[in-house]
Amino acid sequence: MTATPVLVLLDHAPDGTLRPPVRELLTLARTLAGDAGVHGVWAGSEDPAAALDVLAAQGVSTVHRLVTDADLHLSAVLADGLETVAAATGAELLLLVSSFENKEAAARLAVRTGAGVVTDADGLAVEDGRVIAHKTVLAGTWTTRCKVVAPRAVVTVKANSVVAEDAPAGASPQVVDLPVEVRATSTRVRLVERTELAASGRPDLGSAHVVVVGGRGTEGDFSAVEELADVLGGAVGATRVATDEGWIGHDAQIGQTGVTIAPRLYVGAGVSGAVHHRGGMQASGTIVAVNADPDAPIFEIADFGIVGDLFTVLPQASAELRRLQG
Amino acid sequence: MRIVVCVKFVPDIQSDRQLGPDGRVVRDGGDGTLNELDENAVEAALVLAEEHDGEVVVLTVGPDDAVDAVRKGLQMGADEAVHVLDDAVAGSDAIGTATVLAAAVRRIGAEAPVDLVVTGMAGLDGLTSLLPTALAEQLDLPALPLASALTVDADARTVTVSRRLDHATETLTADIPALVSVTDGINEPRYPNFKGIMAARKKPVTTLSLAELGVDPATVGAAGARTRVLEAAPRPPREDRVLLTDTGDAGTRLAAWLVERKLV
Ligand SMILES: Cc1cc2nc3c(=O)[nH]c(=O)nc-3n(C[C@H](O)[C@H](O)[C@H](O)COP(=O)(O)OP(=O)(O)OC[C@H]3O[C@@H](n4cnc5c(N)ncnc54)[C@H](O)[C@@H]3O)c2cc1C
């Protein structure tokens, strides 16, 4: 248990609603926080009103809203803000959703405050006042337990690592404005343009519980992949080949240089399972593969592998699931 | 324009990578190579140097074998190489490595000013992506990470990058000197040709110790690491696996299996 509040960065969409993994992080933070409780950090000019119900149900007592004229999308400015909250609350543990942006701020904070950083954790505990993180490494082939030796810890947590649950007793979160002292050097990078990606209407790839992935085997026809994703209420992902071919947006690329996912269910169709791709999905709970080639490496890690043509197997599975679901 | 490219020597991802009892990546066994993603960084630097009449210094921190990583950079066309070699560096976390690299970049900059530091987006061993920003923070340079496109305006002395994040695309710009990390989508790294391989043999590789860099060994390596791996184990194999060849009903069977496993 920590003696000071556990801080959670409240990633949110432009409409002010929380990104789904934040609920998981709040649930996790509660298990680590003692009486000092869980505090949220709101970075951005959006109104937190739309997030308050979730925060209340999660038992969050305080939300620190970072107030500055500088753009909090700049990692150095965000780090200034996080440093300010840590100083104001005395917090020694900060949790962030694993994303490239958050890792940038985490790196800065570690350099500035002497904190130990763990990225892509999938479980956390506090033992003798020190944070112990669990994480999967080397393309999902090894599991590790890692101790933060420093008294302060910054941990980025992978989506789907924890099952989100509401707190036994809710709270009425207090929103406190916290003016951020922005360092002169933090605004040397100028954000010329930022375009939010349009929401697809499907769950967010990085945090979806189910992801159906299409590879080169789709030959550009993603309809069977999309249909199965929709029946399963999942997101659609792709291999790099599929994004490079322009069959689907680059933001759908799963792998070590794309999005890292660990959904409950991964379905790969026409995906060979190259090591670069496996690095981003091998930690998935259950792996299903449909591939015409019995020697495809993805079968080595599949829980359910079908040697077959995705254009017949996927539609049949979708139809059957629809029938079973009535 | 003088560009320093930071590169890492890592176990080949096609090999059977292991963690040792100390929780560190096993780095012997002869499977080491220049981190694939750093080839993109070298390529980006070479292209800029060609455009702006510049020179490229490749820099690595690592054990004896790590010199192979900078050699590959020289073969691709970099002008000189620096290898920080010191037993005390072993066991560094990303922040410790950034400390050593920062000292080395300062040292390279003392000879002649450095305009740009370029790194790959991540090391394929640890994949933390922490290093580029931690290095920029230590060098007090503006950071423009994850560039999928990169331009330098030599007259205005600015650098501009485009990058893709989970929920947005961004264009960032800053005055140089600055630090940029690049993705594997930014370019197609060149293969060293025979001429490059021959020329590389004559190019200088400077070896530096922590003492020569003025870095206190207690602040880096295992001694200075703020995180320590307590345990590492191969992930247990998946159980109850089903493998079948479609004979006309595989989709139906998959649906039934998903329902039975409560995955829908
Ligand atoms: C530095 C670097 C980074 C990379 N990063 C990533 C990354 O992050 N993510 C990523 O995905 N890749 C990445 N790659 C690329 C990666 O190495 C592979 O090339 C890629 O993952 C292969 O994609 P694929 O499985 O779609 O294509 P392929 O490997 O060509 O496989 C296609 C498969 O489809 C099967 N198939 C064909 N037709 C059918 C059909 N009708 N029904 C069923 N199956 C069929 C084939 O048997 C084959 O197995 C990276 C590469 C490099 C060099």
Side-chain angles (χ1 to χ4, degrees):
Chain A
M1 295 278 181
T2 57
T4 52
V6 176
L7 298 178
V8 176
L9 179 65
L10 303 173
D11 287 16
H12 55 271
D15 65 2
T17 52
L18 293 173
R19 301 272 185 209
V22 172
R23 250 188 100 224
E24 301 166 12
L25 265 59
L26 292 168
T27 303
L28 177 64
R30 268 203 325 272
T31 66
L32 307 170
D35 296 340
V38 176
H39 289 197
V41 183
W42 189 265
S45 52
E46 301 80 13
D47 187 341
L52 287 181
D53 282 351
V54 174
L55 296 170
Q58 284 292 324
V60 173
S61 57
T62 310
V63 175
H64 304 273
R65 177 163 55 183
L66 306 179
V67 181
T68 167
D69 292 337
D71 198 325
L72 284 155
H73 289 115
L74 296 173
S75 69
V77 177
L78 178 57
D80 290 333
L82 295 171
E83 216 184 334
T84 309
V85 188
T89 56
E92 283 156 355
L93 173 58
L94 166 66
L95 305 185
L96 308 98
V97 175
S98 278
S99 69
F100 284 116
E101 289 157 286
N102 286 348
K103 289 178 191 179
E104 289 166 21
R108 289 185 184 279
L109 213 58
V111 172
R112 292 178 185 185
T113 64
V117 204
V118 180
T119 53
D120 297 322
D122 50 32
L124 275 187
V126 175
E127 290 172 19
D128 300 328
R130 290 290 184 269
V131 171
I132 313 276
H134 295 244
K135 68 180 274 187
T136 309
V137 298
L138 299 182
T141 56
W142 284 68
T143 57
T144 63
R145 242 162 49 90
C146 175
K147 177 176 182 171
V148 178
V149 191
R152 287 163 178 269
V154 179
V155 182
T156 79
V157 182
K158 271 202 308 212
N160 286 324
S161 300
V162 185
V163 179
E165 272 170 36
D166 286 344
S172 32
Q174 216 196 333
V175 181
V176 198
D177 283 350
L178 191 68
V180 178
E181 210 166 298
V182 175
R183 298 179 180 202
T185 53
S186 294
T187 51
R188 285 178 303 189
V189 174
R190 297 178 292 281
L191 187 58
V192 182
E193 194 199 298
R194 181 177 160 98
T195 310
E196 296 287 335
L197 299 176
S200 66
R202 295 196 174 92
D204 215 29
L205 187 57
S207 57
H209 295 304
V210 176
V211 178
V212 185
V213 175
R216 194 201 300 273
T218 63
E219 290 170 14
D221 180 359
F222 263 64
S223 56
V225 170
E226 287 171 355
E227 183 193 13
L228 182 59
D230 289 341
V231 176
L232 292 168
V236 171
T239 64
R240 178 158 146 200
V241 169
T243 60
D244 282 356
E245 291 286 341
W247 298 338
I248 185 167
H250 271 281
D251 46 311
Q253 182 195 320
I254 292 179
Q256 62 192 14
T257 61
V259 185
T260 303
I261 57 167
R264 284 181 65 214
L265 173 62
Y266 165 102
V267 182
V271 173
S272 63
V275 66
H276 301 100
H277 183 72
R278 289 213 302 264
M281 51 63 71
Q282 199 158 341
S284 301
T286 298
I287 296 174
V288 173
V290 181
N291 194 307
D293 173 8
D295 296 325
I298 196 162
F299 287 130
E300 292 163 21
I301 56 165
D303 296 285
F304 196 102
I306 297 173
V307 181
D309 186 340
L310 73 93
F311 292 107
T312 53
V313 176
L314 261 50
Q316 191 182 71
S318 298
E320 177 68 2
L321 284 167
R322 247 189 242 106
R323 190 184 71 81
L324 292 172
Q325 284 164 357
Chain B
M1 178 132 107
R2 199 143 177 270
I3 307 168
V4 175
V5 187
C6 302
V7 299
K8 190 172 186 187
F9 182 72
V10 298
D12 190 332
I13 56 161
Q14 307 288 355
S15 71
D16 181 20
R17 296 178 296 170
Q18 307 266 340
L19 294 181
D22 54 1
R24 296 183 200 161
V25 177
V26 176
R27 288 177 199 279
D28 47 16
D31 278 331
T33 175
L34 168 61
N35 178 38
E36 230 173 331
L37 295 171
D38 296 343
E39 292 179 14
N40 300 94
V42 174
E43 178 66 30
L46 292 172
V47 169
L48 286 175
E50 284 155 10
E51 275 172 13
H52 302 285
D53 189 23
E55 63 173 347
V56 175
V57 183
V58 277
L59 163 65
T60 195
V61 175
D64 283 323
D65 292 351
V67 75
D68 288 356
V70 286
R71 285 258 174 244
K72 176 91 186 276
L74 292 176
Q75 291 171 354
M76 288 174 73
D79 301 282
E80 47 177 300
V82 175
H83 176 195
V84 181
L85 174 66
D86 199 310
D87 289 344
V89 171
S92 290
D93 55 15
I95 309 298
T97 306
T99 304
V100 180
L101 284 171
V105 173
R106 273 190 221 103
R107 159 87 179 234
I108 294 166
E111 287 158 17
V114 171
D115 300 298
L116 210 57
V117 178
V118 184
T119 73
M121 64 180 283
L124 290 177
D125 48 356
L127 267 186
T128 67
S129 295
L130 290 170
L131 184 114
T133 315
L135 179 58
E137 182 78 29
Q138 301 226 14
L139 288 169
D140 195 20
L141 287 178
L144 303 96
L146 288 182
S148 51
L150 164 65
T151 52
V152 167
D153 183 332
D155 298 324
R157 291 192 56 78
T158 55
V159 53
T160 302
V161 311
S162 320
R163 63 190 212 132
R164 270 191 296 268
L165 302 166
D166 289 353
H167 300 108
T169 59
E170 290 183 345
T171 305
L172 303 175
T173 189
D175 294 346
I176 52 178
L179 178 143
V180 175
S181 83
V182 302
T183 69
D184 56 326
I186 192 171
N187 55 35
E188 204 52 61
R190 66 194 70 183
Y191 285 106
N193 55 23
F194 181 70
K195 206 168 129 238
I197 293 169
M198 293 312 285
R201 295 192 181 165
K202 299 198 191 76
K203 292 177 184 170
V205 179
T206 308
T207 307
L208 294 172
S209 66
L210 290 183
E212 285 167 302
L213 290 176
V215 174
D216 177 358
T219 61
V220 300
R226 301 165 190 176
T227 55
R228 187 166 66 227
V229 177
L230 301 176
E231 268 170 60
R235 188 189 155 129
R238 292 170 179 270
E239 282 168 11
D240 304 332
R241 304 174 64 231
V242 182
L243 243 181
L244 55 91
T245 301
D246 185 23
T247 50
D249 64 349
T252 309
R253 289 170 69 178
L254 170 60
W257 185 83
L258 291 173
V259 170
E260 183 195 321
R261 289 281 184 112
K262 298 196 167 52
L263 286 164
V264 291

